[in-house]
């Protein structure tokens, strides 16, 4: 897990686990550590990032479900593109 820290967000990215790590339930332990660290740093949000593919047109259900198992919930928000 790569974590980008900013005020007030801890943003996770590039979450991966091997078969051995999955068997040892390493990922939940790492996510718990990140959450605890976010609390210590007074972050208001722990952001797991997007759960979509094809430029936001399609939900990756497996990824969304994995994030839900960690207690996360989806949030829809608008994005804008500046064209010069």
């Amino acid at each position: 897990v790569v974590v980008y820290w900013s005020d007030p967000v801890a943003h996770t990215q590039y979450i991966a686990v091997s078969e051995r790590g999955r068997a040892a339930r390493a990922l939940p332990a790492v996510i718990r550590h990140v959450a605890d660290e976010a609390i210590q740093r007074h972050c208001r949000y722990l952001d797991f990032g997007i759960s979509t593919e094809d430029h936001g047109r399609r939900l990756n259900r497996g990824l969304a479900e994995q994030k839900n198992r960690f207690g996360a919930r989806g949030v829809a928000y608008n994005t804008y593109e500046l064209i010069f």
Side-chain angles (χ1 to χ4, degrees), residues 2 12 22 32 48 54-55 66 82:
V2 174
T12 63
R22 193 172 289 116
R32 168 54 77 182
F48 284 101
D54 192 24
H55 302 284
Q66 178 189 41
L82 296 175

Side-chain angles (χ1 to χ4, degrees), residues 71-84:
R73 297 295 175 258
V75 175
Y77 58 91
N78 294 325
T79 58
Y80 302 91
E81 180 179 2
L82 296 175
I83 300 174
F84 296 93

Side-chain angles (χ1 to χ4, degrees), residues 16 25 49 54 67 76:
R25 299 202 29 86
D54 192 24
K67 293 172 183 182

Side-chain angles (χ1 to χ4, degrees), residues 1-35:
V1 177
V2 174
V3 183
Y4 296 95
W5 299 99
S6 66
D7 185 25
V9 179
H11 174 75
T12 63
Q13 202 164 329
Y14 309 114
I15 298 172
V17 65
S18 67
E19 287 300 321
R20 184 174 173 200
R22 193 172 289 116
R25 299 202 29 86
L27 187 56
V30 170
I31 296 300
R32 168 54 77 182
H33 176 75
V34 170

